Amino acid sequence: MDVYDLRGLNCPLPVLKTRRRLAGLPAGSRLWIETTDPLAVIDIPAFCHDDGHRLVASESVSSGYRFLIERGG
């Protein structure tokens, strides 16, 4: 499973880069993303909902936030 390091990037870059990365993966693929952007806790779930992906997990970690996204079909 891929881990996409987006730490140090601020809104809207984490969402834009996640969208681009997921576009290159087959439906059902899972991608961990890591970010330090505090707005990601709002932006990433909204992005998943709007784009038809499933937010499998989200967690706060010492280095920021981690999200597990499953690419929709």
Side-chain angles (χ1 to χ4, degrees):
M1 189 174 331
D2 287 334
V3 176
Y4 196 26
D5 185 358
L6 300 170
R7 291 175 292 177
L9 300 177
N10 292 320
C11 181
L13 290 176
V15 167
L16 295 176
K17 288 184 172 282
T18 299
R19 178 178 285 132
R20 190 172 318 147
R21 183 72 172 260
L22 285 171
L25 298 175
S29 295
R30 290 185 171 191
L31 175 69
W32 275 106
I33 65 165
E34 294 184 349
T35 181
T36 51
D37 181 8
L39 292 178
V41 296
I42 298 166
D43 294 342
I44 296 298
F47 155 72
C48 289
H49 179 267
D50 293 347
D51 283 31
H53 305 301
R54 185 168 78 99
L55 182 59
V56 177
S58 64
E59 55 193 42
S60 180
V61 294
S62 62
S63 60
Y65 309 94
R66 284 176 52 113
F67 302 92
L68 179 59
I69 302 169
E70 183 176 278
R71 188 187 190 285

